[in-house]
Every structure is written in C-alpha cells, then in structure tokens.
Amino acid sequence: MTWLIVITVWLTVLTFTGESQQPRAIVAQDGSGDFTTITGAIFASPNHSVQPYYIKVKTGTYHEYVQIEKWKTNIVLIGVKGQGFTAQDITFRNEAGPWKYQAVALVAEADYISFYRCRFEGYQDTLYTRFGKHFYRDCQVLGTIDFICGHATAVFQNSIIEVRAPIPGQFNTITAQKREEEGEATGIVLQNCTIKATPELEKMGKNVTTYLGRPWGNYSRTVFMQSDIDLLINPNGWIEFTNETLIRPYYLEYMNRGEGANTMGRVKWAIVTSDPKIASNFTVRNFINGDKWIPFTIPYYLDLA
C-alpha cells in the first residue's frame, strides 16, 4: 500500500508527540540538516524498519509531493506549527496504551490545516486540536478519555469516532473543548460522523460509561449534528469535570440519528435543537470559512448535509 502526504504551500509539518526521541535525520531548507527535502530523508530511511525512524523537519515551505512506499515502515515525521498543512492517508499513532494516561498522537496547532482519510490512534487525549482553524474529512479517531480535545476551531465531517476500552473503573469522554472566553470563535463540530464502540468496548457492555464530552474551559463549545450515535452514549450525554464549576458551556445537538441520539435524558446545560438556522452557524462555510482555504482535492459539505 502506498501512503501519500499531500504537502501544500506554507507547510511545516505538524508536531507529532509521543515519547521524546532524538531524530535519525533532520530536514532543513537552509542546508543546516542532513537533507534539504522531505523526500530525500524518506528515501534514505531504512526499508522494513521495525523501530520508529524519526525525521525532524525544520521550519520552511516544502513544495513536494511526498510518497511513502509500503516498504518504508514506521516513519515518524516531527515538525513545527505549520499553517496550510494537509495530510492524506496517514496514520498518527501513539502506542503508549491506556495505562500511560495522557498520550497524544498528534498536536495540531496552526491555521488552515486539513486531514483527509487520516487515522488517529491513541487512548487519552489522542488528538489535541490545540488552536487554529482545522478540517477533518473521512478520518478515523480512536481513544478513551477527552480524545478529541483542545482550543481550536475544528470541523469533522464524515468521520468515524471509535471509543476504546479504558482502564477498569474509568469512564470515556469523546471531547474536551477549551474555550475560555465567551467572545472566542473556537469549538469542536462533528457533522455527519459515526460515533461507535470498538469491538473490545462492545464486549464490556454497560460496564463502561461513555459521554459525548465534557467542558474543559469556562465557555467550552461542542456541536454534534447530523451524526449517527450508537447506544454506547450515556443518556445524560455530557458530564462535568470533577470539582470544577460550570460557567456557560455551549453543548449543542442537532438532528442526530441512532440509539445514542435520544436526548430525553440530557443534562440541563445541553442544548437540543431542530432549527437549521442555529445549526448552520457551525457549518464549514460559517464556522471555519472553509470554502476560502480547504484544498480542492478534499470533498466537503459547505453547509448542512
């Protein structure tokens, strides 16, 4: 299988977090590293590597079409905050396991970045959407606690959100958005996504409680709309952080489907609406102005699905 990284203007590769590692190769356009192109570093990497091969990409604009062949295994790109970054058909995985607690697979902290057909694997805090405007299309995100988290303005479309089995005694929370000021435009939106349990979690049945999310900031904002939600979601829908006082979180559900989409038992501070005018505030067009920057190679709904 061939893995493709589509690299666009303004690229510097996003930070891949995990255990701190010394890079085996450094890419730098100014000649201060081992290679001046990402392609060169990948070509020189060992074939069929059984250990992670870390490549550090320094700040720069890399106009490349990077193809990672199937025999170039276990390559890890480490970089910096990259405006305009696009990833396609890439798996970002943190193998620390549930017992390591917070173990981020990817930190996304730049404007106008998009992920198409990518997979994010971890347990707690898998995908840290730290800040910026982000778009995720046809992706898979796997985790347990707060595994889509951060302070970005992010829209997920047509993506599969899979909840894994946590440490015994823990409950699962899919999202933890960190909006601290009411005037901030940030939030996490899941549109036309599928929320489901992994087979391992399904076997555990009612022994594990799962929530759509919890407010990390005083004005946290998260929207689930037009999505398929499996029965794994607790009827309350949402939960608070322990020993933290809610200020004014904004948690919206709009026209979701499935057994877990029944909103009769939702917490009092959640909002349920069937008004498309309200939901339209959180579309690609209106929430992230995606029609101005999402690459033409990535499909998306501009408005409600």
Side-chain angles (χ1 to χ4, degrees):
M1 183 175 182
T2 298
W3 298 96
L4 302 178
I5 306 175
V6 179
I7 297 180
T8 58
V9 69
W10 301 309
L11 169 73
T12 54
V13 180
L14 291 174
T15 303
F16 182 96
T17 61
E19 296 182 8
S20 178
Q21 296 286 345
Q22 290 297 319
R24 300 288 299 278
I26 296 176
V27 179
Q29 287 183 318
D30 61 7
S32 62
D34 305 299
F35 302 91
T36 57
T37 65
I38 299 169
T39 302
I42 291 173
F43 182 79
S45 69
N47 296 336
H48 306 293
S49 175
V50 297
Q51 298 296 327
Y53 186 85
Y54 293 84
I55 299 173
K56 172 72 174 181
V57 184
K58 288 190 173 182
T59 301
T61 301
Y62 297 84
H63 295 279
E64 300 181 54
Y65 181 82
V66 180
Q67 181 165 305
I68 305 176
E69 303 292 352
K70 62 183 179 182
W71 51 85
K72 295 293 185 181
T73 55
N74 291 308
I75 288 175
V76 180
L77 295 180
I78 309 170
V80 292
K81 308 131 181 109
Q83 178 175 300
F85 174 77
T86 300
Q88 177 178 322
D89 296 313
I90 300 294
T91 293
F92 301 89
R93 179 186 298 122
N94 190 310
E95 297 181 340
W99 295 96
K100 296 294 185 179
Y101 297 94
Q102 287 100 338
V104 180
L106 181 80
V107 179
E109 48 183 354
D111 264 327
Y112 314 128
I113 58 178
S114 50
F115 298 86
Y116 181 39
R117 300 198 309 240
C118 289
R119 182 177 172 93
F120 306 88
E121 297 182 17
Y123 285 86
Q124 185 169 346
D125 298 349
T126 301
L127 176 54
Y128 185 10
T129 62
R130 190 175 181 193
F131 65 80
K133 289 186 177 181
H134 305 172
F135 181 62
Y136 302 79
R137 172 75 184 207
D138 296 343
C139 292
Q140 284 183 282
V141 189
L142 292 86
T144 53
I145 298 172
D146 305 337
F147 64 96
I148 301 175
C149 59
H151 190 33
T153 309
V155 174
F156 294 75
Q157 277 188 357
N158 287 41
S159 294
I160 297 174
I161 313 301
E162 289 193 76
V163 187
R164 308 178 89 168
I167 295 172
Q170 288 184 331
F171 58 80
N172 290 321
T173 47
I174 295 171
T175 63
Q177 206 276 333
K178 190 176 173 60
R179 181 171 170 245
E180 293 288 5
E181 302 292 336
E182 192 169 18
E184 292 175 328
T186 67
I188 295 171
V189 175
L190 291 94
Q191 181 185 16
N192 204 37
C193 292
T194 298
I195 318 302
K196 59 186 288 189
T198 61
E200 182 185 10
L201 181 59
E202 283 184 337
K203 292 178 182 177
M204 301 178 72
K206 296 182 179 180
N207 293 323
V208 178
T209 303
T210 298
Y211 300 93
L212 294 172
R214 57 181 177 172
W216 188 10
N218 290 330
Y219 295 90
S220 295
R221 180 161 57 183
T222 302
V223 176
F224 281 72
M225 62 185 192
Q226 299 176 308
S227 294
D228 289 301
I229 304 177
D230 209 347
L231 186 59
L232 78 158
I233 300 300
N234 182 276
N236 287 345
W238 314 88
I239 191 172
E240 303 172 31
F241 270 90
T242 304
N243 299 322
E244 291 194 15
T245 302
L246 289 174
I247 303 299
R248 197 180 301 162
Y250 188 94
Y251 281 78
L252 178 72
E253 295 177 63
Y254 169 77
M255 302 297 288
N256 294 307
R257 308 169 292 270
E259 294 179 280
N262 187 331
T263 59
M264 293 297 292
R266 292 298 193 250
V267 294
K268 293 181 179 179
W269 42 273
I271 303 169
V272 178
T273 185
S274 59
D275 187 346
K277 291 182 180 179
I278 295 175
S280 66
N281 292 317
F282 303 101
T283 60
V284 163
R285 182 197 301 272
N286 296 324
F287 196 55
I288 59 172
N289 305 117
D291 54 322
K292 303 293 194 301
W293 59 269
I294 295 175
F296 70 90
T297 54
I298 300 178
Y300 58 88
Y301 306 121
L302 190 56
D303 299 297
L304 295 175

